[in-house]
Amino acid sequence: MSGRKSISQMTIPETVIMIAIGTLLIQPVTGRGLWTTLGVASVLVIALLITGFIQLKSDRLESLISGKAVSVIENGTIHVQNLRKLRLSVDKLETRLRQHGIANIGDVEWATLEVNGQLGYSLKPDMQPATKKDIHELMKLIDAQLNDHTLQGTKRSNSAPLFTEVVQKEDHSPSDPLQ
């Protein structure tokens, strides 16, 4: 009913209702009424569907039911007060950042602790990994520079050699093998 979510991805109402349904499923086994159990379970499922629908339709009620994402880093600076409200230590935050491959807090433009407990972040522009587009643009730039150098090289071929240090070295004495 709640979709393909693990417990860590569920909202508080979804988690409470799922635990309640799990507790209710044991009632028929202990000899209590099957119909009462099914009735309460159906009420809980309907409550789950209604809270899900309310969260989709109203932003205010969604933030009231599920909560909001909390900013923990802005421009590489940790919001210690927000961490205290979340009861999260700086060490735990650093652990989560390392799990995402971030070694330095100063590399993070912003980071938030999402409603489902996951860490959302954005790296500063200089620290973001290269994309395919960036690599293709770099390859085009290198090709353009190589083409410019080859065109200039054909124009200069009559005036100066390409490897001047080889031409200037006219010492024909045998080199010392120990050097």
Side-chain angles (χ1 to χ4, degrees), residues 67-137:
K68 294 180 182 179
V70 178
S71 175
V72 291
I73 298 176
E74 267 187 49
N75 295 323
T77 306
I78 298 175
H79 290 288
V80 179
Q81 290 178 338
N82 289 350
L83 287 177
R84 286 184 187 150
K85 289 177 187 176
L86 295 168
R87 296 184 187 134
L88 184 70
S89 69
V90 174
D91 291 334
K92 298 272 186 184
L93 176 64
E94 288 174 345
T95 301
R96 288 187 179 197
L97 289 170
R98 282 192 297 274
Q99 288 172 346
H100 288 282
I102 301 169
N104 187 359
I105 292 176
D107 296 345
V108 180
E109 187 172 348
W110 58 263
T112 58
L113 194 63
E114 303 297 334
V115 176
N116 63 2
Q118 300 294 322
L119 184 70
Y121 67 92
S122 175
L123 296 173
K124 290 183 178 177
D126 293 344
M127 301 310 295
Q128 292 177 356
T131 62
K132 272 186 155 181
K133 180 181 177 184
D134 295 335
I135 292 170
H136 286 296
E137 288 177 6

Side-chain angles (χ1 to χ4, degrees), residues 13-172:
E14 290 174 337
T15 305
V16 169
I17 291 173
M18 290 298 186
I19 291 172
I21 290 173
T23 305
L24 281 174
L25 290 177
I26 199 68
Q27 296 300 325
V29 174
T30 60
R32 306 225 174 127
L34 176 65
W35 295 109
T36 305
T37 303
L38 290 175
V40 173
S42 62
V43 167
L44 290 174
V45 168
I46 291 170
L48 176 66
L49 294 173
I50 289 172
T51 57
F53 180 76
I54 288 172
Q55 288 178 3
L56 286 175
K57 295 297 179 182
S58 173
D59 289 335
R60 285 185 182 173
L61 291 177
E62 178 186 14
S63 63
L64 179 68
I65 293 171
S66 298
K68 294 180 182 179
V70 178
S71 175
V72 291
I73 298 176
E74 267 187 49
N75 295 323
T77 306
I78 298 175
H79 290 288
V80 179
Q81 290 178 338
N82 289 350
L83 287 177
R84 286 184 187 150
K85 289 177 187 176
L86 295 168
R87 296 184 187 134
L88 184 70
S89 69
V90 174
D91 291 334
K92 298 272 186 184
L93 176 64
E94 288 174 345
T95 301
R96 288 187 179 197
L97 289 170
R98 282 192 297 274
Q99 288 172 346
H100 288 282
I102 301 169
N104 187 359
I105 292 176
D107 296 345
V108 180
E109 187 172 348
W110 58 263
T112 58
L113 194 63
E114 303 297 334
V115 176
N116 63 2
Q118 300 294 322
L119 184 70
Y121 67 92
S122 175
L123 296 173
K124 290 183 178 177
D126 293 344
M127 301 310 295
Q128 292 177 356
T131 62
K132 272 186 155 181
K133 180 181 177 184
D134 295 335
I135 292 170
H136 286 296
E137 288 177 6
L138 182 63
M139 289 173 59
K140 287 179 186 176
L141 181 66
I142 290 171
D143 286 341
Q145 287 182 349
L146 285 175
N147 288 339
D148 287 347
H149 285 296
T150 55
L151 290 176
Q152 290 175 0
T154 56
K155 292 177 185 174
R156 281 191 311 164
S157 62
N158 296 336
S159 61
L162 181 62
F163 299 104
T164 56
E165 63 272 359
V166 175
V167 174
Q168 290 175 354
K169 184 177 180 183
E170 295 183 11
D171 185 18
H172 297 292

